Amino acid sequence: MAIDFDPKQLGSELYNGGFRPMFIGGQWVGAQSGEVSDAVNPATGERLATIPDAGVVDVDRAVLAARRAFEGPWSKFSPYERQAVLLKIAELVERDWDKLCVSDTLDMGMPIMRTLANKRRVLGMLRFYAGMATALHGETIDNSIPGEIVSFTRKEPVGVVAAIIPWNAPTAATVWKIAPALATGCTVVLKPAEDASLTPLMIARLMQEAGVPDGVVNVVTGKGSVAGARLAEHPDVNKVVFTGSTLTGQSIARAAVGNLKKVSLELGGKSPVIVCKDADIDRAVPVAAMAVFAHSGQICIAGSRLFVAREIHDEFVARVADFAKALRIGHGIETDTDIGPIVNSRQARVIEDYIASGQTEGARLLTGGSRQSGPVYDGGNFLTPTVFADVHDDMRIAREEIFGPVISAFKFDSIDEVTSRANASPYGLAAGIFTKDLGTAHKLARRLKAGSVWVNMYHAIDPAVPFGGMKMSGYGREGGVEHLYEYLETKAVWINTD
Ligand code: ADP
């Protein structure tokens, strides 16, 4: 992909360390306490901006604004008008796409060519849900009650939705939470992650420009333990949609119990990638490697358990290691960077701790495992792409989500064996299969406990296709028609026509 602008130049125009207010009830405001946090570029350690640290009182104002908008102006928008607003947002996101991508890259480190490449998906989400806004309908259902009694269902918006999102894909996560909410007539309070709030604020500005009424979308920045926790427990929030770690998802589910608000959770994973002996090795190597190394492994669907058929194992993992060595590590804003920084030093230490545990527990380090050093890297946390072989199923690096650029490779002998080992994980988010045999592909796709299964590919996500997890990877689906039902209540109406 060729680009016709200079990301670094655009970045320096976007952020200069100044204050970026949050968005409540159509107003751009600071936290009532006056507290702020720094938004830091993880590649350099430089401050890009300061953002408000919302307290409980700010969150409560945002929820009130969302409630008033839900009961008031937004309830008067027809499906066609909501569709028009969503299409306008899509147009503005397309207009400002370069800026949004540079903002994401600067704030959380993902290589710019990768953020730019998400365009079709993000615009697709907005346009898919714009289309769905006018396609919502209930059903007329024949009942068995004597008499002339008509029964039908209505689909009604659930109300005020709290959307709590992670830092690793701010634009996509913001759009994927807000688009179905607007399509169904809900209102939203969005809480971006501490490490990536700048682009969601930018998108809020586009929503305002698109004519979204005040209070329909609110963005509160701040700490998960304060602003996020308040949203999760808030008695006037009807639904919380969350993407993030399993631990935080559990705490949100507990907090949501107070008013029995609906919850959907897209959580962690330890996804298996299974390479069968008949796989097309040339094609499988880069895909299996990038199933983890894309975004330095900081993605929930990272295919971090690489199961390779014994017959081809040694050749395959050696080639994955060679592929890893050739990846260019650098600042995300450079167009030739393959691997950007780890989002913050705490997360980098967590990953290093996993790497150390792999070595202590006897896994064989084929490549990586260290910090990338040199003047260019000094301001950030850059880890080399890491491949471990001879990993045993009971090692920590085999069981726990690392959220870093670490592949654990295993040998397997039979489809039955690899199925049960792949499924022996508390997680069930995604899985990859490489085989030329249709029977094997179908068998594995049916047996694997995962919300998404990719065959001879990985990472595909589309607005029209449901995405989400099984087991401790969460519940609820994003994408597709199913996503809309997460934001809708079904009401049954009975009419005695006698
Ligand atoms: P990560 O470890 O990837 O940062 P988290 O699950 O901690 O993942 O964070 C994802 C989102 O959840 C962020 O917006 C964060 O601020 C928010 N968050 C963190 N803790 C809580 C909590 N206790 N309640 C609600 N939201 C939280």
Side-chain angles (χ1 to χ4, degrees):
M1 182 171 63
I3 58 172
D4 58 3
F5 70 100
D6 177 0
K8 279 196 261 188
Q9 173 64 29
L10 186 52
S12 60
E13 287 163 20
L14 283 181
Y15 297 116
N16 57 11
F19 178 63
R20 296 292 160 131
M22 58 187 173
F23 189 53
I24 297 179
Q27 308 291 314
W28 293 93
V29 296
Q32 232 169 62
S33 65
E35 280 178 37
V36 294
S37 289
D38 286 346
V40 172
N41 179 343
T44 60
E46 284 160 5
R47 187 173 81 193
L48 296 164
T50 61
I51 50 172
D53 246 341
V56 167
V57 44
D58 304 298
V59 170
D60 289 358
R61 275 181 55 209
V63 173
L64 184 62
R67 172 61 56 196
R68 287 193 174 139
F70 178 71
E71 313 271 341
W74 193 230
S75 66
K76 311 219 164 37
F77 271 59
S78 68
Y80 175 78
E81 289 166 323
R82 296 200 305 270
Q83 176 179 68
V85 165
L86 276 162
L87 290 173
K88 183 71 189 169
I89 297 170
E91 192 185 309
L92 299 178
V93 166
E94 189 161 23
R95 182 195 70 192
D96 286 1
W97 184 248
D98 296 346
K99 281 190 205 160
L100 295 168
C101 292
V102 166
S103 174
D104 267 1
T105 289
L106 288 176
D107 208 10
M108 55 86 189
M110 187 192 274
I112 184 72
M113 298 314 278
R114 194 161 276 281
T115 50
L116 286 167
N118 270 333
K119 186 169 182 177
R120 183 194 55 80
R121 168 144 64 107
V122 170
L123 293 175
M125 287 171 191
L126 286 161
R127 292 183 175 135
F128 178 84
Y129 288 107
M132 294 309 294
T134 54
L136 302 172
H137 57 82
E139 290 176 314
T140 307
I141 303 168
D142 288 343
N143 63 71
S144 306
I145 296 179
E148 299 274 334
I149 295 176
V150 175
S151 50
F152 62 92
T153 58
R154 289 175 42 77
K155 294 289 185 191
E156 297 183 354
V158 72
V160 174
V161 174
I164 304 176
I165 61 169
W167 50 265
N168 59 348
T171 295
T174 301
V175 167
W176 222 354
K177 305 293 191 236
I178 289 179
L182 297 191
T184 50
C186 295
T187 57
V188 182
V189 180
L190 180 98
K191 215 292 287 167
E194 294 86 328
D195 283 314
S197 294
L198 296 177
T199 321
L201 291 170
M202 211 182 241
I203 296 173
R205 239 173 234 290
L206 298 183
M207 303 230 168
Q208 199 176 26
E209 187 182 340
V212 175
D214 293 350
V216 171
V217 173
N218 308 270
V219 179
V220 290
T221 52
K223 305 221 162 28
S225 54
V226 180
R230 177 60 182 157
L231 280 172
E233 62 157 32
H234 201 292
D236 203 28
V237 168
N238 303 105
K239 156 102 190 173
V240 53
V241 287
F242 171 74
T243 300
S245 62
T246 294
L247 214 57
T248 302
Q250 288 171 311
S251 122
I252 286 175
R254 274 192 294 271
V257 161
N259 69 335
L260 288 179
K261 62 174 69 66
K262 295 175 193 319
V263 179
S264 34
L265 302 172
E266 200 269 275
L267 308 177
K270 189 75 187 173
S271 299
V273 169
I274 298 171
V275 184
C276 301
K277 61 176 183 247
D278 66 339
D280 179 334
I281 296 183
D282 291 343
R283 285 175 66 184
V285 165
V287 181
M290 291 313 279
V292 173
F293 299 138
H295 204 5
S296 304
Q298 304 173 111
I299 39 173
C300 52
I301 52 177
S304 51
R305 289 186 296 154
L306 178 61
F307 290 94
V308 186
R310 185 176 300 277
E311 295 84 341
I312 58 166
H313 171 275
D314 293 352
E315 179 196 349
F316 195 87
V317 294
R319 286 181 60 178
V320 168
D322 288 343
F323 185 93
K325 284 180 208 152
L327 291 170
R328 285 171 305 242
I329 303 172
H331 293 199
I333 204 71
E334 305 284 352
T335 51
D336 61 355
T337 292
D338 297 314
I339 299 266
I342 301 303
V343 72
N344 59 40
S345 51
R346 180 177 48 85
Q347 179 59 18
R349 282 195 299 275
V350 168
I351 300 166
E352 286 179 311
D353 183 50
Y354 275 114
I355 292 170
S357 84
Q359 289 175 299
T360 314
E361 292 187 81
R364 183 160 53 94
L365 184 66
L366 294 185
T367 186
S370 58
R371 289 220 172 210
Q372 183 80 354
S373 56
V376 175
Y377 306 107
D378 284 350
N381 301 281
F382 293 86
L383 296 180
T384 50
T386 301
V387 181
F388 277 112
D390 300 338
V391 182
H392 291 284
D393 295 4
D394 53 359
M395 293 179 182
R396 276 183 69 209
I397 56 168
R399 291 181 288 112
E400 298 176 20
E401 182 176 44
I402 299 177
F403 227 64
V406 182
I407 290 180
S408 300
F410 312 80
K411 289 189 184 94
F412 74 88
D413 289 299
S414 76
I415 296 300
D416 285 347
E417 173 211 331
V418 77
T419 308
S420 68
R421 288 171 68 196
N423 283 340
S425 163
Y427 295 109
L429 190 57
I433 302 162
F434 288 89
T435 178
K436 290 189 200 132
D437 185 86
L438 197 58
T440 306
H442 275 288
K443 205 178 281 178
L444 277 169
R446 196 169 53 241
R447 291 182 186 178
L448 289 171
K449 292 270 172 246
S452 298
V453 179
W454 292 291
V455 181
N456 296 328
M457 63 187 302
Y458 206 78
H459 277 153
I461 290 184
D462 186 88
V465 181
F467 173 82
M470 298 181 181
K471 302 195 276 184
M472 296 211 27
S473 295
Y475 41 77
R477 289 292 177 272
E478 305 201 308
V481 180
E482 284 189 51
H483 196 173
L484 289 170
Y485 297 146
E486 306 276 345
Y487 291 77
L488 291 167
E489 298 275 20
T490 301
K491 176 186 282 176
V493 181
W494 298 80
I495 302 181
N496 185 347
T497 61
D498 275 342

